[in-house]
Every structure is written in C-alpha cells, then in structure tokens.
Amino acid sequence: MKGKLYIVGLGPGGKGDMTLRAVKAIEDSDIIVGYTTYVNLIREMIRDKRVITTGMRRERERCEKAVFCAERGNRVCIVSSGDPGVYGMAGLVLEIIAKQNSKIEVEIIPGVTSATAGGALLGAPLINDFAVISLSDLLTPWDVIQQRIRAAARSDFVIVLYNPMSKKRRKHIEKAREIILNCRKPETPVGIVKNIGREGETVIVTDLQHMLEYQIDMVTTVIIGNSSTFAENDRMITPRGYEV
Amino acid sequence: MKGKLYIVGLGPGGKGDMTLRAVKAIEDSDIIVGYTTYVNLIREMIRDKRVITTGMRRERERCEKAVFCAERGNRVCIVSSGDPGVYGMAGLVLEIIAKQNSKIEVEIIPGVTSATAGGALLGAPLINDFAVISLSDLLTPWDVIQQRIRAAARSDFVIVLYNPMSKKRRKHIEKAREIILNCRKPETPVGIVKNIGREGETVIVTDLQHMLEYQIDMVTTVIIGNSSTFAENDRMITPRGYEV
C-alpha cells in the first residue's frame, strides 16, 4: 500500500471547528503523530489507531517520525491545532521532505487559525487589513519582531499577537504594547481570547490601557484594534467602511 | 420560537473545507441569506430552505434582511466564503445590530480563510509573521493601502493580497509589486492561487519578477514570500527557523 502524509489543522480546539476534510484524513490514517496536547483534542476519534506523541520543543523529531512512517507505506496524519501553515508544522515537514528528496504523497489540510477563531468570539475585529505576529523569539530575533510591531502599528493594521507570553518570556507583551501605544490611543480596543473552543475558554474585550491587567499566556491570542475599531456590547468591531 | 442569526464562513469553496459547526448551523436554519455565488456553493445542502440571494455590492441589504428575518423568530444563516470576519459580513451585521439596538442571538462561525487555504495549496508560505492586505480601494483609500504594503514589505512580513484585481482596477497589483520590489529581490517566490476548492482551481508558484505574466483577478489570492521564503518542487516554503 502506498503511504501518504496528511498535515492536518484541527482548528482552535473544539471538534465543531474541524473541517470535514480533517475528519476524513484522520479516519483514513493508521498512524497519528502530534504534540500530546493536540492529540488529546481528538482522543475519542483515534482509539483504534497507533499514536505517536512527543513533548514540546520536539518538533523536528515529530516531523521526521511522520515522514519515516509514511515512507514505509503507512497513512499518517501529523496534527496540530489551528492551521498547520501558521507557525505550524507544514513548513518543517516540507523542508524535511525536500532535504531527504522524499517522493511521498503529501496533503496539507488547512484549518481555522486562532486569529479568525478568536476574532469570531470577539465580534469582528479583523474586517480590515491585519498583521499576524508571533512574540516568540525562539526562532525569530526579538529586534525583527519589534520592527514588525512598529511597522504594523504605524500603518494602522489590526494586529494579532500569537504566543504573546510564556513563563520565561514575560516582558515582550509589555514592550509590544508600549510600541503600539506610541501610535494608537490608550482607548484602542484589545481582545484577549484564551483556550478557544476548549475547557476554560475566556473572551475579554478591554483596551490598550488596561490589557496587562488580564492573564495572558501561551494559549492566549491578543487582537489589537486599528484606529477605527470600536467596542460595543462587549464586542470588538472594525468597520469595513460601509455606511450603516 | 426564538430567532437566531448565524454568521457562517463556508471556507474557500469545497464542502470538505467547511467546519462541522458550519454544516450544523446550515442544517439548523430555515432561511439562508447570501451573495448568489456563495449560496451556489452549498445548493445541495439547502434544497428544503428558503433562500434569499442578492447580487454583488448589495452587502448592506443582505445583512439587513438577515437581521430582519431573525428578529421575526426565524433561524437564519448569513453565509460567505472563507471566514466571515476577514473582509466579510460579520462586521456589517454586528454594526447593523448595534445600530438597531437589536437583542437577537448571534453566533459567528469562523471558517478557513483564503490566506491559509491558499497557503496549504502552495506549500507553507505563512509559517512566519504575515500581513493580510486587500487591494480593493472601494472602502479603504488607496494611499492607506499603499502605505501598508510599504510597511509590510520593509519589515519582512510575508504579504497576502486579497482582491488583487478587478475589471475596473488593474493597476493596483502592478503598483503593489513595484513597492515590494523596492525591498525584495526579483527572485522572491510568489504564489498565485485561484478558485480555491472550486472548479478551475489553479496553483502557481512564480516570483516577483514574473508574477504579472499570470492571470490575476477577484477570485485570486496572491502570497508574496519574505526574504527567506524559497521555492522547491513547485512548493513555496517560508522557514520558521528550525535547523533541518
């Protein structure tokens, strides 16, 4: 039997936000590979399958195992939350395949990413141009990240921050806020969403001035409005520009 | 019976890229409201339902009708392709609801947006920070749009262009390319995806120098790589920074 590697985005967390194609790919697979937290999101769907999980920071090992298993004729799903192409495993898998000159069949299945899943919970903050920036400086220099925040703030993008804070990295979100405050009013709406579609889901609409009073961590997404974003009835809305 | 308004993202086009929640919301609804092209994507699912379609540029009318019907106790889906929060109807509906001081129940169902659906077809171009910009100047001044392109190009964002060209607007994509070429090499990979998940789907990996040789229109999404994006085996990959 010919092997195949699916690179699957599970969406933010709840099964409802998975696509039909993602469900099918999981059903079609013999082996499921993923970070433990993500695999746990789909436990009930994969009782009859071989599961290979690895912990945090073991991304390369995980991708290599998935490619290895597919090369040997298995149908393999490597799963991640959100979309596998947004700070996800799709790039690393394709890089490994290119390096190994592997000819396995690959199908990337996009998913709902935190930016739009969080946006939906907050209202409609992303209705105009937006920039997606990760505050993790493990793989991108902090200088480059700051420059991007500055550029996005100055040119009035709505700004979506992924990985805004970790236990070892607490100051980046403060600095990001400071940079943005140089260009936007303290009353600019800010949305903070946590554990989207999972246990402990929280949705907060606040503003630049008060945002640091709320708990922000690695499972949080922060969305900062542009100059025309407004808050109403605990919803955050960026007008597209239609007359209402 | 209490009315409810679902604002539903159908994903890029094929039924496989719809979420389970979107399917459920459509099944649960009596009335489906949408732009004709989008409603046609789900024709087979809605044979037993009342369907209200309106043509292009009738966005406000569409949203008002949807709110009106939900106010009168109907369960209503207003559908759009992609994610309803990305240049979509979610904002306008919420603005109308706020203006009318309506108390109807609203659920926004996020979907896979063209950026990540197109990214999946191209490979993994969005693995690092990216900016999403619409080239339509119907509702945003062209000056503002150009400034955003310039800012994104200078600070090495991957750039995703929505609505890159229409019949009446052919020059914006040329100008956008020119701005980006001031900061990036002509060999920078560019992905052009058209009719994602629909009849006539096309996927092209080219570069800044040659991108204008391909057909680009309103159903096209253009993704321009950052300084480290590379093309290999007709795939476009932006490295996250892992050692491979």
Side-chain angles (χ1 to χ4, degrees):
Chain A
M1 193 173 151
K2 217 183 135 205
K4 176 161 182 177
L5 179 55
Y6 295 103
I7 308 174
V8 177
L10 301 176
K15 196 183 168 190
D17 285 318
M18 284 178 68
T19 65
L20 300 174
R21 195 143 69 100
V23 173
K24 247 191 180 157
I26 291 166
E27 285 169 359
D28 182 52
S29 295
D30 321 303
I31 301 178
I32 309 293
V33 182
Y35 172 42
T36 317
T37 311
Y38 304 151
V39 169
N40 285 339
L41 293 175
I42 51 165
R43 269 294 165 201
E44 56 169 273
M45 294 173 66
I46 55 174
R47 292 199 192 283
D48 57 333
K49 301 185 190 292
R50 201 176 136 205
V51 175
I52 301 174
T53 58
T54 62
M56 233 166 83
R57 305 270 174 95
R58 306 288 287 279
E59 291 87 359
R60 209 178 95 187
E61 186 188 331
R62 215 180 299 152
C63 294
E64 283 169 350
K65 279 186 179 169
V67 173
F68 180 89
C69 293
E71 280 282 1
R72 266 139 206 86
N74 296 288
R75 301 182 83 78
V76 182
C77 257
I78 180 160
V79 297
S80 47
S81 73
D83 184 288
V86 178
Y87 308 112
M89 291 297 97
L92 189 51
V93 172
L94 294 182
E95 284 187 82
I96 288 166
I97 286 173
K99 197 185 173 194
Q100 296 184 356
N101 207 6
S102 164
K103 300 292 173 216
I104 50 166
E105 190 188 344
V106 176
E107 183 178 340
I108 304 175
I109 300 183
V112 175
T113 186
S114 307
T116 74
L121 289 171
L122 290 163
L126 305 181
I127 289 296
N128 210 315
D129 303 331
F130 63 96
V132 175
I133 302 172
S134 168
L135 293 192
S136 168
D137 60 354
L138 284 177
L139 299 164
T140 304
W142 177 228
D143 273 356
V144 173
I145 299 171
Q146 286 183 84
Q147 197 201 329
R148 287 179 183 152
I149 298 168
R150 203 168 293 121
R154 279 189 188 150
S155 45
D156 207 28
F157 280 98
V158 176
I159 300 174
V160 186
L161 300 177
Y162 279 57
N163 309 312
M165 201 190 271
S166 72
K167 277 178 192 154
K168 289 187 180 161
R169 178 171 43 78
R170 308 200 67 83
K171 296 285 176 194
H172 286 17
I173 185 75
E174 295 175 19
K175 182 68 188 169
R177 171 179 170 272
E178 194 187 305
I179 294 170
I180 298 167
L181 265 172
N182 282 331
C183 310
R184 288 187 204 170
K185 293 183 193 160
E187 303 81 42
T188 304
V190 172
I192 300 173
V193 281
K194 200 175 150 173
N195 287 312
I196 303 171
R198 307 182 199 173
E199 220 186 297
E201 179 180 277
T202 50
V203 181
I204 289 157
V205 176
T206 175
D207 58 26
L208 269 176
Q209 189 171 359
H210 298 94
M211 60 176 274
L212 295 178
E213 294 167 16
Y214 298 90
Q215 213 197 353
I216 294 174
D217 57 23
M218 281 305 270
V219 290
T220 305
T221 305
V222 176
I223 301 184
I224 293 143
N226 70 12
S227 61
S228 56
T229 304
F230 62 95
E232 187 146 328
N233 297 329
D234 274 328
R235 282 193 187 120
M236 189 173 162
I237 303 173
T238 302
R240 180 78 181 101
Y242 296 105
E243 258 180 65
V244 179
Chain B
M1 193 172 151
K2 215 183 136 208
K4 178 162 181 176
L5 179 56
Y6 295 102
I7 307 173
V8 177
L10 301 176
K15 195 182 167 191
D17 284 319
M18 283 179 68
T19 65
L20 300 174
R21 196 142 69 99
V23 173
K24 246 190 181 158
I26 291 166
E27 285 169 358
D28 183 51
S29 295
D30 320 303
I31 302 178
I32 308 294
V33 182
Y35 172 44
T36 318
T37 311
Y38 303 151
V39 169
N40 285 339
L41 292 174
I42 52 165
R43 270 291 165 203
E44 56 168 274
M45 294 173 67
I46 55 175
R47 293 200 190 281
D48 57 335
K49 302 185 191 292
R50 200 176 135 205
V51 175
I52 301 174
T53 58
T54 62
M56 234 167 85
R57 305 268 176 96
R58 306 289 287 278
E59 291 87 359
R60 210 179 94 188
E61 185 188 332
R62 217 180 297 152
C63 294
E64 282 169 350
K65 278 186 180 170
V67 172
F68 180 89
C69 293
E71 280 282 1
R72 265 138 206 87
N74 297 289
R75 301 183 82 78
V76 182
C77 258
I78 180 159
V79 297
S80 48
S81 73
D83 184 289
V86 178
Y87 309 111
M89 290 298 98
L92 188 51
V93 172
L94 294 182
E95 284 187 82
I96 288 166
I97 286 173
K99 197 184 174 194
Q100 297 184 354
N101 206 9
S102 164
K103 299 293 172 215
I104 50 165
E105 191 187 344
V106 176
E107 184 177 341
I108 303 174
I109 300 184
V112 174
T113 186
S114 307
T116 74
L121 288 171
L122 289 164
L126 304 181
I127 290 296
N128 210 316
D129 304 330
F130 63 95
V132 175
I133 302 171
S134 167
L135 293 193
S136 168
D137 59 356
L138 283 179
L139 299 164
T140 303
W142 176 228
D143 273 356
V144 173
I145 299 171
Q146 285 183 85
Q147 197 200 328
R148 286 180 184 152
I149 298 168
R150 203 169 292 120
R154 279 190 188 149
S155 45
D156 208 26
F157 280 98
V158 176
I159 299 173
V160 186
L161 300 176
Y162 279 58
N163 309 313
M165 201 190 271
S166 71
K167 277 178 194 157
K168 289 188 183 162
R169 177 171 44 76
R170 309 199 65 82
K171 295 285 176 195
H172 287 16
I173 185 74
E174 294 174 21
K175 183 67 188 171
R177 170 179 170 271
E178 193 187 306
I179 293 171
I180 298 167
L181 266 172
N182 282 332
C183 310
R184 289 186 204 170
K185 292 184 196 161
E187 303 80 42
T188 304
V190 172
I192 299 173
V193 282
K194 199 176 151 174
N195 287 312
I196 303 172
R198 306 183 200 172
E199 220 187 296
E201 180 180 276
T202 50
V203 181
I204 289 156
V205 176
T206 175
D207 58 26
L208 270 177
Q209 190 173 357
H210 299 93
M211 61 177 273
L212 294 178
E213 295 167 16
Y214 299 89
Q215 213 199 352
I216 294 175
D217 57 24
M218 283 305 272
V219 292
T220 305
T221 305
V222 176
I223 302 184
I224 293 143
N226 70 13
S227 61
S228 57
T229 304
F230 62 95
E232 187 147 326
N233 296 329
D234 274 327
R235 282 193 185 118
M236 190 174 162
I237 303 172
T238 302
R240 180 77 180 103
Y242 297 105
E243 258 179 66
V244 180

